Amino acid sequence: MILVVYLSSIDRPHAAHPSRRRSLFLVSGNVFALGAVSLITDISSEMVTAVLPVYLMIGLHLSPAVYGVVDGTYTGATALLRLVGGYVADRTRRRKFIAGLGYGFSAVAKLGLPAAGNAVGVIGAVIAIDRTGKGLRTAPRDALITLSTPPQLYGRAFGVHRMMDTVGAFAGPLVALGILAATAQAYDAVFVASFCIAAFGVLVLVLFVRDRGGEQPSKGTVALSSLGGLLRIAPVRRLVLAACLAGMVTIGDGFVYLLLQRREDLSVGWFPLLAVGTNLSYLLLATPLGVLADKIGRQKVVLAGYTALMLVYLLLFGPFGGWPLLVVVLALYGLFYASTDGVLIALAGPVLPTGVRTTGIALIQTGQAMAYLVSSVLFGLAWTVWGPASAIRIAAVLVAVAVFAVALLLRGIPSTDADEEEPA
């Protein structure tokens, strides 16, 4: 009820004094509305994500290599559509509409999962449709956040948005667990409920999010050649390379949770709670780390996040186990996401020209997602050939190398608006 009352006051001139409206999270109403949409959508998405790894590898007995392909598809196979979404949103100045299409695709895809049955190919096709939606919506949504926020508060805005997003990610596995318990492990019930929740998220977007298309500068018509122009800007080029490198050393959540489940011999019924632990850490840390990034430097926070990821990989086959291992690994994993997910885009915001900001964000996210696709497939193969212990230790070493390389790439990234920067 509080959420609905707050959302209904957004951008209404007499609803509340501006300072009181912003006092809840010290961000604009549009950022809060976008966070609410992400919160609801992530409940839907994480209901499926939380049960998918155990369903595919334990229920359908897929090999780690095959699961790596499916997991890579889930995140990276439709990565190029991020560029499509970003380009069309900048070209038409209709970021809300493009984001809404993306949320709609993902909602409809949930209905395809009950029809897929045990057919891995059909499951992969449904996942591709769902990720098509995510690919279309992510860059326009993040661009709307930057356009609704002063540059000096980007870290705070993305921190609040990711915090709200993670409330949904935290609740999603719990909802899935409750549905499975009430329906005697009926996965179809989870998928149908996920669709209903996703549809509600689309409705909130339509009713409460305000587009910022009319606020764009008149200079520069967006064209396909703008991609080349973006890469000629030295800070943007370095950010794209850093994002690709980071994606190459990041394995899927499903692999991390499967390794924990196998090491600690957890029952399948407890598997969704591993994601809950990560999301609780992310939820608690997202806003504080976003604020900290604005104060001490976003580069430092991003590098700290990847250092936490390296520790996660090392601990998965480290010297101790039991509940201390579960607590430390899930806390560090949440710290990794809170330090990198929104903060990297906050770092990019000031160096991207306003007229093609959505395209620029999409370019960075596409590079990272495509690299993640390769990483997930290679890790699945490494697990199959060398075993999980060797595969995860190699991943930890690669993360350590990547931290130094990313530090060099991000050094000196300016915090001023890109419209004032000269291409290098």
Side-chain angles (χ1 to χ4, degrees):
M1 178 61 72
I2 294 174
L3 176 64
V4 173
V5 170
Y6 181 80
L7 287 173
S8 66
S9 71
I10 291 174
D11 289 344
R12 290 186 181 180
H14 303 296
H17 189 275
S19 63
R20 293 185 63 187
R21 281 207 311 272
R22 297 181 69 242
S23 64
L24 185 59
F25 288 117
L26 298 177
V27 296
S28 72
N30 217 37
V31 172
F32 187 85
L34 288 163
V37 175
S38 292
L39 186 158
I40 296 165
T41 301
D42 250 38
I43 293 176
S44 168
S45 297
E46 292 300 320
M47 287 172 63
V48 176
T49 302
V51 301
L52 201 58
V54 68
Y55 174 64
L56 293 176
M57 284 195 66
I58 297 178
L60 301 184
H61 305 291
L62 297 186
S63 70
V66 175
Y67 174 72
V69 174
V70 174
D71 181 66
T73 299
Y74 192 76
T75 299
T78 57
L80 291 177
L81 283 168
R82 297 172 188 255
L83 279 176
V84 174
Y87 172 76
V88 174
D90 278 336
R91 183 83 176 183
T92 64
R93 305 289 198 249
R94 300 180 66 185
R95 295 178 176 86
K96 174 182 172 180
F97 176 75
I98 301 302
L101 283 180
Y103 282 110
F105 275 133
S106 293
V108 172
K110 303 300 190 298
L111 291 180
L113 289 170
N118 293 340
V120 175
V122 179
I123 292 173
V126 171
I127 287 173
I129 294 173
D130 176 75
R131 296 299 89 181
T132 296
K134 184 173 179 62
L136 287 175
R137 73 179 184 251
T138 302
R141 179 203 66 199
D142 286 349
L144 281 172
I145 292 174
T146 67
L147 293 170
S148 304
T149 307
Q152 68 272 20
L153 296 179
Y154 282 166
R156 180 192 299 271
F158 279 101
V160 169
H161 175 270
R162 289 338 192 229
M163 181 270 291
M164 296 181 69
D165 181 275
T166 309
V167 170
F170 175 78
L174 295 177
V175 174
L177 196 63
I179 292 174
L180 290 175
T183 60
Q185 307 298 309
Y187 288 95
D188 286 359
V190 174
F191 301 148
V192 172
S194 175
F195 162 74
C196 294
I197 295 171
F200 179 63
V202 175
L203 180 63
V204 172
L205 175 80
V206 171
L207 293 178
F208 299 113
V209 172
R210 302 291 182 261
D211 211 335
R212 300 299 184 192
E215 298 178 11
Q216 298 304 306
S218 57
K219 70 159 198 175
T221 300
V222 179
L224 290 175
S225 59
S226 62
L227 284 177
L230 281 170
L231 291 175
R232 284 193 293 271
I233 301 174
V236 176
R237 185 168 61 247
R238 295 202 302 271
L239 277 167
V240 172
L241 289 174
C244 291
L245 184 58
M248 279 295 297
V249 299
T250 305
I251 67 172
D253 294 354
F255 281 125
V256 172
Y257 299 147
L258 285 167
L259 289 171
L260 275 176
Q261 187 264 337
R262 290 187 174 201
R263 170 165 178 159
E264 298 304 314
D265 196 25
L266 299 175
S267 67
V268 173
W270 290 103
F271 187 85
L273 293 182
L274 297 176
V276 172
T278 297
N279 291 329
L280 176 60
S281 173
Y282 189 175
L283 167 65
L284 295 175
L285 294 173
T287 299
L289 286 174
V291 174
L292 181 65
D294 287 337
K295 291 183 178 179
I296 70 170
R298 294 159 191 161
Q299 295 94 330
K300 295 177 182 178
V301 174
V302 169
L303 293 173
Y306 281 99
T307 302
L309 181 65
M310 178 186 66
L311 294 175
V312 166
Y313 293 170
L314 290 174
L315 287 170
L316 287 173
F317 282 92
F320 69 96
W323 69 262
L325 174 69
L326 293 174
V327 171
V328 172
V329 166
L330 297 179
L332 285 173
Y333 208 34
L335 172 64
F336 157 65
Y337 278 117
S339 301
T340 58
D341 187 15
V343 178
L344 183 63
I345 302 304
L347 184 62
V351 301
L352 292 170
T354 309
V356 289
R357 182 164 296 172
T358 317
T359 305
I361 290 174
L363 181 63
I364 293 168
Q365 292 171 336
T366 294
Q368 189 170 28
M370 291 294 289
Y372 175 89
L373 169 59
V374 175
S375 172
S376 190
V377 173
L378 291 179
F379 184 81
L381 290 172
W383 180 334
T384 301
V385 175
W386 296 314
S390 296
I392 197 67
R393 286 167 182 157
I394 292 171
V397 172
L398 292 176
V399 174
V401 174
V403 167
F404 289 102
V406 170
L408 293 175
L409 287 168
L410 297 184
R411 186 174 59 183
I413 297 291
S415 58
T416 55
D417 194 297
D419 291 321
E420 301 172 4
E421 297 289 326
E422 292 295 330

